[in-house]
Structure formats: C-alpha cells, structure tokens
Amino acid sequence: MKKINEKELVREARKAMERSYSPYSGFSVGAALIDTEGRIYHGANIENASFTPTCCAERVAIFKAVSEGVKDFSAIAIVGSGGNFTAPCGVCRQVMREFCSDDFEIYLADKNDNIKKYTLAELFPESFGPDDL
Ligand code: THU
C-alpha cells in the first residue's frame, strides 16, 4: 500500500474544489479520496436549482470511485471555501460507513493548511452499517 501524505492529499482536495458547482450557497467544497493502491479520486460539491439533489464533494468522490469498481479506501481530505475546517455532513459519514473501515482517515484542512486528523470511528461512532443487517 502506498504511504499517504496528508499534505499532498489536501493539495489534491484544493484542486478538486476549483470544480465546485455551487451557485446557490456560494460555498465550494473539495475532496480527495485515496484508495489502498494510492489512486486518487477528486470530488467537488454539485448543487441544483431544486436544492435537494445537491451532492457533497465527499460523496461525489466516493461514488466516482465505486462506479469505477473501487471499494477499498485509505483516506479522504476535505477543504471548504469558508476557510475554516469543513467536516463531512451526516449523510456523507453514512456513505463512508458503507465502504470504509473504522480506521479510514479523514483529514480536514483550514485555509492556513492546519490539518485535523480523525478516523471514521471517531467521527461516526455507534453507527449502523452493512454488517448490522
Ligand atoms: N457540502 C459539502 O460538499 N460537503 C460537506 O461536508 C458539507 C457541505 C456542500 C453542500 C452544499 O453544496 C454546500 O456545501 C453548502 O452546504
């Protein structure tokens, strides 16, 4: 497995954020997801005039990868245009729970490149997942 450099992954998330389609909120989010082979999947939030179909950057990245047949992930980096740390919403945490293990790493970066590191288990404890059915 390729070693993950969190700063590199944050840089990729910033690149992804440039592709955000967010005319309604004006809030851009970028995500960079890395699989266990070291391949990176970029995601940006994509909004909609009808609001509900809006998809977060994290889910765009995850769904891109899953639709390419990839389901083994190591980490995701997330950045938001607000400048503060942008943590994944509840829906995205649930989607991570579907495909990622407890030790999946989540890096949040603020505008000064300070990085907070969490595991999925830390951000989404006592959750419901595929093994609970
Ligand atoms: N958003 C994300 O893309 N990821 C998050 O973790 C939080 C929120 C998006 C959804 C919407 O397009 C905008 O940010 C404002 O909520």
Side-chain angles (χ1 to χ4, degrees):
M1 184 178 104
K2 195 182 154 188
K3 184 94 186 87
I4 299 149
N5 177 334
E6 59 208 56
K7 282 190 181 159
E8 232 174 90
L9 205 58
V10 166
R11 251 200 314 274
E12 295 297 324
R14 290 200 194 288
K15 280 192 218 164
M17 189 168 68
E18 290 171 20
R19 300 238 167 87
S20 165
Y21 175 76
S22 45
Y24 306 107
S25 71
F27 190 82
S28 306
V29 182
L33 173 71
I34 189 162
D35 71 12
T36 53
E37 302 292 320
R39 287 177 297 228
I40 292 172
Y41 302 86
H42 297 89
N45 56 327
I46 302 174
E47 298 186 344
N48 189 281
S50 181
F51 291 9
T52 306
T54 291
C55 194
C56 291
E58 299 91 320
R59 269 175 289 146
V60 170
I62 294 167
F63 292 158
K64 277 172 72 178
V66 173
S67 68
E68 298 295 326
V70 177
K71 289 196 222 64
D72 299 312
F73 305 113
S74 302
I76 192 167
I78 306 162
V79 296
S81 61
N84 296 324
F85 296 104
T86 299
C89 78
V91 174
C92 289
R93 292 179 200 206
Q94 184 67 49
V95 170
M96 289 173 191
R97 176 71 175 77
E98 187 70 26
F99 300 108
C100 307
S101 53
D102 276 352
D103 60 355
F104 176 73
E105 294 189 328
I106 300 168
Y107 310 140
L108 313 181
D110 69 5
K111 63 173 183 300
N112 298 317
D113 265 337
N114 297 307
I115 297 176
K116 283 188 186 174
K117 261 176 87 164
Y118 299 97
T119 63
L120 180 57
E122 286 170 335
L123 287 192
F124 203 45
E126 300 300 331
S127 58
F128 185 84
D131 36 330
D132 294 311
L133 283 172

